[in-house]
Amino acid sequence: MRFRHPDGSTVHLAYCTNVHPAETVDGVLAQLSTFCEPVRKNLGIERLGIGLWLARDVARVLSREPAALRRLRLALDRRGLEVVTLNGFPYEGFGAQEVKYRVYRPNWADPERLEYTGDLARILAELLPSDVTEGTVSTLPLGWRTGFGAAAAERSHDALAELAGRLDRLESQTGRSVRLAVEPEPGCAVETTADAVALLAALPRHRIGLCLDTCHLATSFEDPAVALAALQEAGVGIPKVQLSAALHADNPLDPAVRSALGAFDEPRFLHQTRARVGEVLHATDDLGPALTGSVLPGTVPWRAHFHVPLHAPPAPPLSSTLGVLAQSLALLVGGATPRSRHFEVETYTWQALPPADRPADEAQLVDGIAAELSLARDLLTGLGLKELP
């Protein structure tokens, strides 16, 4: 989906296909017909943006076999789909029964992460629509914090600097500019926007910036206005934004609240949970330890890293941080010029919701994704952007 900002620039909206965890080229192609094209038709639009997730094995095939890449590009065109951004955070196994800490491997200290991301950049340069010259790839915030010391940080910095050089050469060869967007996440080596400023200060900013995930921002109790002002003051760009909402509990001491939270404690994904008292952020790596332990104070609200559907917040006594998303979006595109032009709805947790809230079949998932995109579209048009055909 494309929108015209009042300044005349184009803003792109997509949804991320990591909700459809295929790890073969044929599986990715099947996603386009089973989910992506039906979402487009559900919305009644001629062109839908998708933020492709391409697992390692898929990326290797597409980067080494031109015929396979042409096949994907043709399938996108035929189904009214376009790609301006890739999600390069998960490496493989995102559809496994247990993902948890595995999603942070390999980290940026491992040469495999550099090679994978380089493959994604080359693929994206070929997939960009003919009238688009800039693409983005989001990536993990270096790695999970545990065991990530000074040596790993130095290797990661060197790898990111090397990637920036490769992206410069890619633009010289193709005329297509691809930017990397580092995505802060609770519990990682780069957890907050302040951490990102420290990292990106020493890297080529024309190539590497921030991926702002509004669920992660909210989970860490960051104030959008403060965070975005700090990024602007530091000269850190925001090539990509992931529109997402976290799980919020106002009164964790209430037995009904704890019972409701327990329904979201599931075995597949990590749900980092936070509580803030003054300037102190209390943290657990997952929702289960928050409920069974004594690390988080119960006298203040809790937030958990669980990407809840944008249009369907959890039933009371829980809620979502959709308000943080809306505030962030207003700050990002409500001004004279947009601070980012690539927006992606990223709710990958549909099948991890409490059983009663999960889609019963493919058609219900299509309806849910379309409803999320419709909400995001309404927020953008409400801020003065005009949807383009």
Side-chain angles (χ1 to χ4, degrees), residues 88-322:
F89 196 131
Y91 182 73
E92 62 184 351
F94 202 60
Q97 289 301 306
E98 182 178 339
V99 178
K100 297 289 184 180
Y101 296 95
R102 291 172 50 191
V103 75
Y104 308 105
R105 300 195 298 265
N107 61 35
W108 268 99
D110 187 326
E112 282 296 318
R113 177 59 66 171
L114 172 61
E115 295 311 311
Y116 169 61
T117 310
D119 283 347
L120 293 180
R122 290 190 296 273
I123 292 165
L124 182 57
E126 296 298 325
L127 292 182
L128 286 175
S130 58
D131 61 342
V132 175
T133 59
E134 182 176 299
T136 53
V137 177
S138 50
T139 191
L140 79 166
L142 301 189
W144 188 252
R145 71 184 187 283
T146 304
F148 194 90
E154 184 176 358
R155 291 196 301 272
S156 297
H157 179 278
D158 291 344
L160 288 168
E162 168 63 23
L163 180 72
R166 294 185 187 185
L167 296 179
D168 283 342
R169 292 190 291 275
L170 180 66
E171 183 173 11
S172 296
Q173 295 162 2
T174 67
R176 303 292 182 88
S177 173
V178 176
R179 299 179 69 193
L180 186 72
V182 176
E183 180 184 337
E185 178 171 312
C188 292
V190 178
E191 179 163 351
T192 65
T193 51
D195 294 336
V197 167
L199 168 71
L200 298 171
L203 290 168
R205 298 189 195 178
H206 70 294
R207 287 297 174 203
I208 305 178
L210 183 85
C211 174
L212 182 71
D213 184 299
T214 58
C215 170
H216 302 172
L217 188 78
T219 300
S220 293
F221 286 88
E222 291 198 69
D223 181 280
V226 173
L228 289 170
L231 291 169
Q232 187 165 24
E233 182 178 356
V236 174
I238 309 171
K240 180 174 179 177
V241 177
Q242 287 179 327
L243 301 176
S244 53
L247 188 63
H248 180 94
D250 267 326
N251 183 11
L253 291 178
D254 185 341
V257 171
R258 298 181 80 86
S259 176
L261 283 171
F264 287 85
D265 179 24
E266 54 82 38
R268 178 176 292 182
F269 300 111
L270 205 61
H271 302 297
Q272 303 94 310
T273 305
R274 302 289 186 264
R276 184 167 186 165
V277 180
E279 297 301 313
V280 178
L281 195 65
H282 301 263
T284 61
D285 283 357
D286 212 344
L287 183 53
L291 291 168
T292 59
S294 57
V295 174
L296 301 188
T299 54
V300 293
W302 290 4
R303 288 178 179 172
H305 173 220
F306 195 117
H307 289 223
V308 296
L310 302 187
H311 70 292
L318 303 180
S319 61
S320 82
T321 60
L322 183 63

